Amino acid sequence: MSISADNAARPVRVAVDCMGGDFGPSVTLPACQAFLQAHPQAELILVGRAEALQSAAAWPRCTIVAATEVVEMDDPVEVALRRKKDSSMRVAISQVKPADDGLAPADACVSAGNTGALMAVSRYLLKTLEGIDRPAIATVMPNQKDGYTTVLDLGANVDCGPEHLLQFAVMGSALVAAVQGKDNPTVGLLNIGEEAIKGSETIKRAGELLRSVAEAGHVNFFGNVEGNDIFKGTTDIVVCDGFVGNIVLKASEGLAGMLSSFIKQEFTRNFATKLAAIVALPVLNQFKKRVDHRRYNGAALLGLRGLVFKSHGSADAFAFEQALNRAYDAARNRLLDRVHDRILETLQALPTAAGSDNQVQVVTTA
């Protein structure tokens, strides 16, 4: 995607929670080193225990910020939020919080830490954008059109109202427009059928809201979609609540792993199949690459007053580098500003007066 000369010239700074995830610096530091080699315009702020980051002290375009504590993967949210106030996660997130002059040390933050803790600390420190009730987790999944489908929410919000699903659609549209360069991406509402009469009352009402803002030109709403449409590439974006989205994500990763395992078993069954595998090796390698979930690592926490990206806790160096790439692309293409502008434009297209069953009042969070 092309970007303006101003954006291209300005360094993008990404804060990294180097201690987060299952493997900590043994994964995050090699990923950061590879990222810096691939992005000469980028700078990194490495956050963690000083002794763990000592090997990176002489790296170019790097600043080390010390933190004395680590949020463990099994730490309750309460511990991360109230007790570990000098954790690498919290210090890294604070790097994207604007100071009194309106500037922040970093443009984006990446962590592989505890998802619940990351969302809670991010929301506490950064707050939500005007017009956003709840942040959402968004990521991409491969589709049959040799592209990506962006899906949200993936687990941040188990119970969602119609207005929340509308906000997810707007934020997802801004994400795809910023990172993939599609100015008017299509949005599908995940349902048990394509017909408008199907689904729960929440889904039906969300469909009405989306059609309303679509008529005003603020969201390119396709209509209801089913689970298989995610992988068909029927729409650029699929919106759902976090309960459904998380199940879709984990089921998809499990299916990809199972198919890869089945193929390996069949090609190693006997001598003849092993010979066939040698002939088919280029095709097999390409298939493995296309379904490799590591290539799609890096979920955006949308709706915050700062860019925060979540990596899988079990990510290896290659996967963590992909999360860094996504944060970098989002920052250089002004994702935060685009979400802010789109949500305000969309809210203006909605009736906001209370007291009518056909009107919605969107509550903003400072």
Side-chain angles (χ1 to χ4, degrees), residues 12-338:
V12 172
R13 297 182 182 88
V14 180
V16 184
D17 170 15
C18 293
M19 309 303 296
D22 294 339
F23 308 110
S26 65
V27 159
T28 57
L29 290 184
C32 288
Q33 194 167 35
F35 171 81
L36 285 170
Q37 292 172 353
H39 298 84
Q41 294 277 334
E43 297 178 3
L44 292 180
I45 299 175
L46 307 181
V47 183
R49 288 175 172 154
E51 65 275 13
L53 305 183
Q54 194 170 20
S55 62
W59 288 3
R61 293 178 283 124
C62 267
T63 303
I64 293 179
V65 176
T68 59
E69 297 175 304
V70 176
V71 174
E72 305 295 343
M73 296 301 285
D74 57 353
D75 275 347
V77 171
E78 174 72 17
V79 171
L81 191 60
R82 304 196 181 279
R83 297 184 192 175
K84 294 187 175 181
K85 295 187 177 181
D86 195 43
S87 69
S88 58
M89 176 187 289
R90 183 168 183 145
V91 174
I93 295 168
S94 70
Q95 300 301 304
V96 299
K97 183 178 181 179
D100 293 338
D101 60 1
L103 300 177
D107 301 296
C109 169
V110 178
S111 174
N114 181 320
T115 303
L118 184 67
M119 178 61 80
V121 175
S122 297
R123 188 169 184 179
Y124 175 77
L125 291 179
L126 303 177
K127 313 305 180 187
T128 54
L129 288 167
E130 181 182 359
I132 301 295
D133 296 327
R134 303 177 183 178
I137 300 175
T139 196
V140 295
M141 295 184 183
N143 61 43
Q144 293 173 220
K145 295 182 177 179
D146 203 23
Y148 311 105
T149 302
T150 297
V151 184
L152 71 164
D153 177 33
L154 295 176
N157 306 281
V158 174
D159 297 311
C160 295
E163 68 279 6
H164 301 130
L165 296 173
L166 169 63
Q167 292 170 20
F168 298 167
V170 175
M171 293 190 292
S173 297
L175 175 63
V176 172
V179 177
Q180 298 184 29
K182 297 180 179 180
D183 290 333
N184 196 30
T186 53
V187 177
L189 179 62
L190 192 59
N191 200 353
I192 58 174
E194 298 178 359
E195 299 84 358
I197 61 172
K198 287 190 174 180
S200 66
E201 290 304 314
T202 297
I203 294 296
K204 292 177 185 177
R205 181 62 180 135
E208 293 172 2
L209 289 176
L210 285 164
R211 282 187 287 273
S212 174
V213 297
E215 290 174 359
H218 295 293
V219 172
N220 186 5
F221 183 50
F222 174 86
N224 289 337
V225 295
E226 298 179 84
N228 57 345
D229 287 304
I230 295 173
F231 306 103
K232 287 181 180 178
T234 303
T235 59
D236 298 308
I237 301 155
V238 171
V239 172
C240 57
D241 65 54
F243 183 87
V244 172
N246 192 263
I247 291 174
V248 168
L249 176 65
K250 298 299 173 59
S252 302
E253 292 175 352
L255 177 61
M258 183 186 71
L259 291 176
S260 296
S261 176
F262 282 180
I263 291 174
K264 182 177 181 180
Q265 289 173 11
E266 294 305 319
F267 274 111
T268 57
R269 192 169 293 278
N270 53 52
F271 180 74
T273 59
K274 290 178 180 178
L275 286 178
I278 295 174
V279 176
L281 190 59
V283 175
L284 293 174
N285 286 338
Q286 187 61 28
F287 171 79
K288 182 179 179 181
K289 179 180 179 181
R290 292 185 68 179
V291 301
D292 186 358
H293 65 84
R294 300 178 307 159
R295 296 177 61 224
Y296 312 104
N297 187 40
L301 274 58
L302 296 177
L304 299 166
R305 296 178 186 263
L307 293 179
V308 179
F309 279 74
K310 170 69 173 72
S311 165
H312 278 299
S314 60
D316 60 12
F318 174 80
F320 194 83
E321 184 186 352
Q322 306 315 303
L324 293 172
N325 291 338
R326 295 192 189 284
Y328 174 82
D329 287 340
R332 70 172 184 158
N333 288 297
R334 298 175 46 253
L335 174 60
L336 198 62
D337 292 337
R338 293 189 186 213

